[in-house]
Amino acid sequence: MAATAAALQFSAQVSSLNNYNDLYPDWTQREVSTGTTIMAVEFDGGVVMGADSRTTTGAYIANRVTDKLTPIHDRIFCCRSGSAADTQAIADAVTYQLGFHSIELDEAPLVQTAASLFRDMCYRYREELMAGIIVAGWDQRRGGQVYTVPVGGMLTRQPVSVGGSGSSYIYGYVDSNYRPGMNKEECLKFTAGALTLAMERDGSSGGVVRMAIITEKGVERRVILGNQLPQFSTV
Amino acid sequence: MQGSISDHGTSKGLKMGTTIIAIEFDGGVVLGSDSRVSAGASVVNRVMNKLSPLHDKIYCALSGSAADAQTIAEIVNYQLDVHSVEVGEDPLVRSAATLVKNISYKYKEELSAHLIVGGWDKKEGGQVFATLNGLITRQPFAVGGSGSSYIYGFVDAEYRRRMTRQECQEFVINSLTLAMNRDGSSGGVAYLVTIDSEGVEEKCVLGNELPRFYDRDVVEPAKTEKV
């Protein structure tokens, strides 16, 4: 008992030393975070999802080509932002639950079901988790849908949703450029433009733009490399 | 640890949450601001004009702590008056911005305000200077305040070089509207000041005259589902 208390005290002293100690680089003491900008847009017949590709540990970019668009089922994907560990664990758990549910039903699951499963987990463990997730996909009943489950565990459906640290910078752009009834090509241009602008302003977002287009026919994945991103006159 | 509602106004002080923006065009500048002053969760002034004159053709846009920003503006106004008498002509916009920067830099630990300086002088025409944290930099346009985070993407995408006076005014109104729609600390009406060689034009755009952007709750709800 006394030994444990002493050990705890000692480690507290060590970690407070480490905070300002140049012997230990910043990234050894920071949690891995998907700083991020993520986005999803509904169109008639499907959804377009997009994300940047930067994962940071403090100031170090642990992965500059991350894929933050994670498949949950054949035509349901999620965009992950926040703690990389938390969102990966939640996505794995929901993938399992949804796969089981789909076998029981003997048909493809609804996007709303996947979103509800995410919400249940994010709300129940809200004190321990740091996860902001956008769930999007296509199902037979309601076509293309985007559901957002931000930090805290709320669930709401929106025609367009942005998330992650970089999303603050593009609310104005999204509000002014989104129109209902855009087709797939317009949605792709809209998403690529918004993500590019966020990546230019947010230090935690960058790399390439990864996109996924989900329709009745299936899932199409695209990547836009750094030199192929749309150009804006100030950036 | 959360403070109680009653001490929001007193301990935190009045903050102009704010969105401010200034942009130059060939022959002048346009400055814009919202009108909300908040003390914690309370709006204590919903029609505050945050565009403050420093001289006849030089204005500044205030953001951050209301007291700090207003005091800086008053001091610089006085210093510019003295300076313009000493040189015998209208001061340069760069001089005004430098005076603001000197105060912001010297007292940077105590102050919590960001002023954007914009104006017209006969040497360089229309100019915009940002003075955040004690630096001074001339830019084609500048945004500031808590609401500015939400419109970085918009201004980066929409700004084009060599916009006309009319286009600049629309750019400022659109940017302010988008920021006011998203930032809880910005709101009210939009104030605009346009300065050129002829003079100064002040305008106030009321809430119901601001441009409308897509709002799902105003349009028809989602289409019917097929089972």
Side-chain angles (χ1 to χ4, degrees):
Chain A
M1 200 66 144
T4 324
L8 279 172
Q9 249 188 339
F10 177 65
S11 65
Q13 282 169 359
V14 169
S15 55
S16 65
L17 274 177
N18 284 351
N19 280 339
Y20 302 104
N21 195 331
D22 289 330
L23 290 178
Y24 299 95
D26 178 56
W27 55 263
T28 57
Q29 298 146 58
R30 303 292 204 113
E31 201 199 324
V32 176
S33 146
T34 33
T36 303
T37 315
I38 51 176
M39 180 167 170
V41 193
E42 289 176 10
F43 63 92
D44 186 19
V47 294
V48 169
M49 307 172 72
D52 73 303
S53 70
R54 182 173 290 184
T55 305
T56 50
T57 356
Y60 175 65
I61 300 173
N63 186 349
R64 60 187 169 95
V65 285
T66 320
D67 188 3
K68 302 178 190 176
L69 304 177
T70 308
I72 305 297
H73 205 262
D74 293 344
R75 284 177 183 62
I76 306 175
F77 268 59
C78 75
C79 312
R80 300 179 291 112
S81 75
S83 153
D86 287 350
T87 55
Q88 282 180 358
I90 298 169
D92 288 346
V94 170
T95 305
Y96 162 75
Q97 292 168 348
L98 199 66
F100 191 83
H101 169 73
S102 161
I103 288 173
E104 286 178 320
L105 244 56
D106 196 25
E107 65 181 32
L110 297 176
V111 186
Q112 184 178 19
T113 311
S116 285
L117 289 170
F118 271 106
R119 182 269 309 271
D120 288 348
M121 195 163 295
C122 291
Y123 179 71
R124 184 181 297 264
Y125 300 108
R126 56 184 296 175
E127 302 301 323
E128 287 90 11
L129 295 173
M130 171 62 82
I133 295 176
I134 301 179
V135 186
W138 181 93
D139 63 43
Q140 179 85 5
R141 191 183 292 188
R142 296 197 185 107
Q145 299 144 76
V146 171
Y147 293 88
T148 180
V149 182
V151 169
M154 167 183 95
L155 169 64
T156 186
R157 182 181 171 189
Q158 292 177 314
V160 57
S161 184
V162 295
S165 58
S167 66
S168 315
Y169 304 105
I170 49 173
Y171 274 111
Y173 179 81
V174 167
D175 284 345
S176 61
N177 282 62
Y178 174 73
R179 296 170 326 275
M182 292 199 287
N183 63 29
K184 180 180 115 173
E185 285 311 314
E186 289 169 326
C187 286
L188 283 167
K189 197 152 163 271
F190 174 58
T191 305
L195 289 170
T196 302
L197 290 163
M199 280 157 52
E200 286 295 322
R201 286 289 183 180
D202 179 30
S204 309
S205 303
V208 303
V209 170
R210 291 199 189 272
M211 298 209 278
I213 307 133
I214 309 177
T215 58
E216 182 177 9
K217 296 199 177 63
V219 177
E220 182 195 338
R221 297 297 314 261
R222 290 203 196 170
V223 180
I224 306 182
L225 301 180
N227 58 350
Q228 297 160 349
L229 293 170
Q231 302 277 348
F232 295 97
S233 71
T234 52
V235 304
Chain B
M1 185 130 129
Q2 288 189 330
S4 66
I5 298 180
S6 59
D7 71 1
H8 268 173
T10 49
S11 61
K12 285 190 184 176
L14 290 185
K15 267 201 103 46
M16 293 188 286
T18 304
T19 312
I20 51 176
I21 175 170
I23 176 167
E24 71 176 60
F25 59 91
D26 184 19
V29 292
V30 180
L31 289 101
S33 82
D34 73 306
S35 68
R36 179 171 292 185
V37 182
S38 44
S42 197
V43 176
V44 295
N45 188 344
R46 55 187 168 95
V47 287
M48 167 94 187
N49 191 340
K50 303 175 191 178
L51 303 175
S52 186
L54 296 178
H55 202 79
D56 294 341
K57 292 213 170 81
I58 308 175
Y59 272 62
C60 70
L62 315 172
S63 76
S65 153
D68 288 349
Q70 280 187 341
T71 307
I72 296 174
E74 278 171 22
I75 293 173
V76 172
N77 184 333
Y78 164 74
Q79 290 175 337
L80 265 184
D81 273 347
V82 172
H83 171 71
S84 74
V85 169
E86 285 173 347
V87 300
E89 61 180 24
D90 285 341
L92 298 177
V93 184
R94 186 173 283 272
S95 308
T98 303
L99 290 170
V100 171
K101 176 265 291 180
N102 287 343
I103 301 175
S104 303
Y105 180 70
K106 188 167 177 191
Y107 300 103
K108 71 188 302 205
E109 301 304 323
E110 293 104 73
L111 294 175
S112 158
H114 172 211
L115 274 65
I116 296 178
V117 179
W120 181 93
D121 62 47
K122 62 176 195 268
K123 185 169 171 227
E124 296 280 332
Q127 298 145 76
V128 169
F129 289 87
T131 63
L132 183 63
N133 279 342
L135 63 74
I136 173 172
T137 172
R138 181 176 172 191
Q139 299 178 182
F141 72 91
V143 294
S146 58
S148 68
S149 311
Y150 303 103
I151 51 171
Y152 273 113
F154 177 78
V155 300
D156 282 345
E158 292 297 309
Y159 174 76
R160 294 171 317 282
R161 284 169 301 158
R162 292 185 281 274
M163 290 201 282
T164 66
R165 178 200 171 102
Q166 180 69 17
E167 287 170 333
C168 283
Q169 287 178 331
E170 282 168 13
F171 179 81
V172 165
I173 292 179
N174 286 337
S175 307
L176 287 172
T177 306
L178 288 164
M180 287 173 5
N181 284 346
R182 285 291 181 178
D183 179 30
S185 309
S186 302
V189 304
Y191 286 106
L192 243 76
V193 165
T194 313
I195 309 171
D196 59 15
S197 57
E198 317 275 297
V200 174
E201 177 201 333
E202 293 191 0
K203 199 154 73 153
C204 172
V205 184
L206 300 181
N208 59 348
E209 296 160 9
L210 290 170
R212 296 280 182 94
F213 294 97
Y214 169 70
D215 186 346
R216 178 198 57 178
D217 299 317
V218 173
V219 184
E220 308 307 312
K223 44 193 181 295
T224 52
E225 49 190 69
K226 302 174 279 217
V227 178

